[in-house]
Amino acid sequence: MIDAITSALSGLNNASQRIERGAANIASGGSQERIIEDIVDIKQAEISYKANIEVLKVTQDLAKELIESFDRSV
């Protein structure tokens, strides 16, 4: 379970960096093609961010279920 949390946090950090980099590139201007690539990268990072949040939610649910299961058996 710790591996899933670590992986999700790493994914969130990576997605945040991609969004920040893409936004900075767009703000600094550039070719229309480059701006389109940055927009696509930002959208992909958004999807990645949402997926990693879901991993954290599922991990939280599993931990809760594990604790409840332990409480029932003790």
Side-chain angles (χ1 to χ4, degrees):
M1 196 170 330
I2 298 298
D3 288 341
I5 293 170
T6 302
S7 178
L9 291 175
S10 176
L12 289 171
N13 187 42
N14 181 275
S16 294
Q17 290 174 353
R18 289 172 54 197
I19 290 170
E20 185 177 325
R21 186 172 43 250
N25 288 344
I26 291 169
S28 68
S31 69
Q32 184 176 2
E33 183 179 301
R34 183 65 212 165
I35 291 173
I36 291 170
E37 289 174 9
D38 288 326
I39 291 170
V40 169
D41 194 42
I42 288 171
K43 186 63 179 173
Q44 289 174 336
E46 175 190 3
I47 293 166
S48 174
Y49 198 90
K50 288 178 180 180
N52 283 294
I53 290 292
E54 287 302 315
V55 169
L56 290 176
K57 288 178 181 178
V58 169
T59 303
Q60 181 182 17
D61 292 344
L62 289 173
K64 181 180 175 184
E65 182 63 33
L66 180 63
I67 290 169
E68 289 173 358
S69 176
F70 179 76
D71 286 344
R72 285 190 297 264
S73 65
V74 173

